[in-house]
Amino acid sequence: MLLHGTDALTAAARESTAIPGFVAYNLETVQAVVAAAETSGRPVLLQAGSSAFKHAGREALMALALDTARRSTARIGVHLDHSRDLAEIAACIDAGYTSVMIDGSHLPFAQNVALTRTAVAMAHEAGVWAEAELGALAGDEDVSTGATAAGGSMTDPDQAAEFTAATGIDALAVAVGNVHGFTAEPVRLDLDRLAAIRDAVPVPLVLHGASGLPEEQLLGALRRGVAKVNVNAELRRAYLTAVESALPSALPGSDTVATWAAARDAVTAAALRITERLATAARPV
């Protein structure tokens, strides 16, 4: 049952909860995210995006994500994460994705605005909502490198207001000290900056790089307008840890099915834990 529109996102912002955006790379991770959504009864976003396409192939992963979500009884949006390619965005919209993210954060401000405005127009014409990013996160989307927030650039609240008004986006991904992947030291978000951004823009905020974020930092973000939280590294770690544990008994008989099943179950458990964590209402600040 595909989750269309921004009602769930705006409801999460109003309630100081958040919808998880779970990155999926293959059959097992897609199935795991959907299973977690069915168990929790909460809306989730299944993010089959640009980096995952490099592994699985765009057409194959798009079809897998959409078909699995449509067959589910859960409320699941299928989201294109971190795309820099308008042709890729068009292909995902045509395939049936319910939301897309255009990432022009690497560009100068005016070019980011122009690229984002074009992507938003494409999305809205098809009834799809659009996310964009202002500011830059340190780290790698697909590999934890021990990065620190110092490698990125923070989102400016006044510029965020200008960007949102100029582009018509439905959600804004921000850089407030968050980092892609796990870090050597605990991440400390600039919660005052986050609150200022919330007060400056009329759309829900998105926090990328939430894996391993301390509890008080996560709750602080939910209290300050974050209504979508992207999770990737925690799921990758759950998957690989399960594979590592399963291998000693699986290798003698080359039991790949048991290994894949263990990985899928571990990702389901991690996604369910995160979904329930984000569903806990936090008093707004």
Side-chain angles (χ1 to χ4, degrees):
M1 183 164 59
L2 289 182
L3 179 67
H4 289 278
T6 58
D7 287 351
L9 196 66
T10 54
R14 185 173 60 250
E15 298 164 0
S16 296
T17 60
I19 296 174
F22 291 124
V23 177
Y25 292 87
N26 59 7
L27 172 67
E28 288 75 31
T29 48
V30 167
Q31 291 175 330
V33 169
V34 171
E38 290 174 345
T39 300
S40 72
R42 302 283 303 180
V44 308
L45 292 176
L46 175 60
Q47 300 194 161
S50 294
S51 60
F53 291 157
K54 297 173 186 176
H55 161 70
R58 188 173 76 193
E59 299 303 321
L61 190 56
M62 283 196 308
L64 172 62
L66 286 164
D67 184 62
T68 308
R70 286 182 178 127
R71 291 175 181 271
S72 173
T73 57
R75 294 171 291 166
I76 302 171
V78 180
H79 180 76
L80 174 63
D81 189 37
H82 278 293
S83 181
R84 298 181 174 184
D85 184 348
L86 292 174
E88 181 178 73
I89 286 176
C92 289
I93 291 171
D94 290 344
Y97 272 47
T98 58
S99 56
V100 295
M101 179 199 178
I102 179 67
D103 183 2
S105 61
H106 58 294
L107 299 171
F109 181 76
Q111 293 180 34
N112 190 358
V113 167
L115 177 66
T116 301
R117 185 186 289 132
T118 300
V120 169
M122 293 165 55
H124 286 179
E125 185 177 4
V128 169
W129 64 267
E131 172 189 339
E133 184 170 335
L134 187 65
L137 271 64
D140 189 299
E141 294 168 50
D142 302 304
V143 180
S144 294
T145 59
T148 65
S153 60
M154 299 278 197
T155 305
D156 177 80
D158 292 336
Q159 199 173 56
E162 181 183 353
F163 182 79
T164 303
T167 59
I169 55 172
D170 302 289
L172 176 66
V174 296
V176 289
N178 39 321
V179 176
H180 283 301
F182 289 109
T183 58
E185 299 294 331
V187 169
R188 301 294 300 180
L189 302 179
D190 187 339
L191 295 176
D192 290 340
R193 179 183 296 270
L194 185 58
I197 296 168
R198 174 203 60 195
D199 294 342
V201 304
V203 300
L205 305 181
V206 179
L207 189 71
H208 290 228
S211 292
L213 195 64
E215 185 74 13
E216 74 279 3
Q217 293 287 293
L218 178 61
L219 291 178
L222 300 191
R223 295 184 185 115
R224 292 164 176 82
V226 168
K228 173 176 176 274
V229 173
N230 282 20
V231 180
N232 185 346
E234 278 191 69
L235 302 190
R236 296 199 317 265
R237 177 170 288 183
Y239 188 101
L240 292 173
T241 299
V243 168
E244 182 181 38
S245 296
L247 282 177
S249 58
L251 278 173
S254 301
D255 191 349
T256 54
V257 172
T259 306
W260 295 330
R264 181 178 57 206
D265 290 347
V267 174
T268 298
L272 182 59
R273 181 181 68 253
I274 293 162
T275 300
E276 292 176 342
R277 183 184 182 199
L278 295 176
T280 302
R283 181 177 57 83
V285 172

